[in-house]
Amino acid sequence: MSDELERTNEVEITCTRDIEDITAEILEAKRAGGEAILTIGRGLIEAKALLARGEWLPWLTERVEFSERSAQNFMRLAREWSNPQTLADLGASKALALLALPAEERADFIASVHVVDGAEKTTEELSSRELAQAIRERDEARREAEAARADAGTAE
């Protein structure tokens, strides 16, 4: 397909690069995206500490054009995630969802294969909805196990 012209969504794309160059560019952008999320979060944390009371929200909306909720999410990610590659692999939405897990359990959860709707998937393969479901199912299984232990202790 080299040197051919393709129309995609009214954008003309000339395919002159090979797939390895394109792959490398995408992976670099993905890595940079994870680093950017952490850089934004750390910058917001630092700015909030520097600004006087009452200056944060005006600065946030007027200067950096973030909603308060978006800023809070970036700051949470910066506080909780240190590995930009993991963050890039997961994406911000999934990384935020994983904050529901205790920090010491996240790596094991991410490394595990999860069964969602009868299919086995890695955490990276899960959609955000499936990830939320997997976390709920994990929490429910833990509650049931704790209840069973309590019932066994009572029976003794």
Side-chain angles (χ1 to χ4, degrees), residues 137-153:
E137 289 172 357
R138 169 205 170 271
D139 291 345
E140 183 59 32
R142 286 201 165 176
R143 281 191 293 277
E144 289 173 3
E146 288 173 12
R149 279 194 300 275
D151 289 346

Side-chain angles (χ1 to χ4, degrees), residues 5-58:
L5 192 63
E6 181 181 316
R7 287 188 79 72
T8 306
N9 295 332
E10 301 303 316
V11 175
E12 292 182 357
I13 301 171
T14 305
C15 299
T16 57
R17 301 184 300 157
D18 68 27
I19 195 64
E20 294 307 316
D21 290 339
I22 295 167
T23 302
E25 181 181 56
I26 290 168
L27 292 175
E28 175 59 23
K30 185 177 171 185
R31 183 198 57 73
E35 289 177 6
I37 290 169
L38 294 177
T39 299
I40 291 167
R42 288 189 294 261
L44 290 168
I45 291 167
E46 188 176 2
K48 188 171 184 178
L50 286 174
L51 292 169
R53 183 169 178 83
E55 293 179 355
W56 166 248
L57 288 178

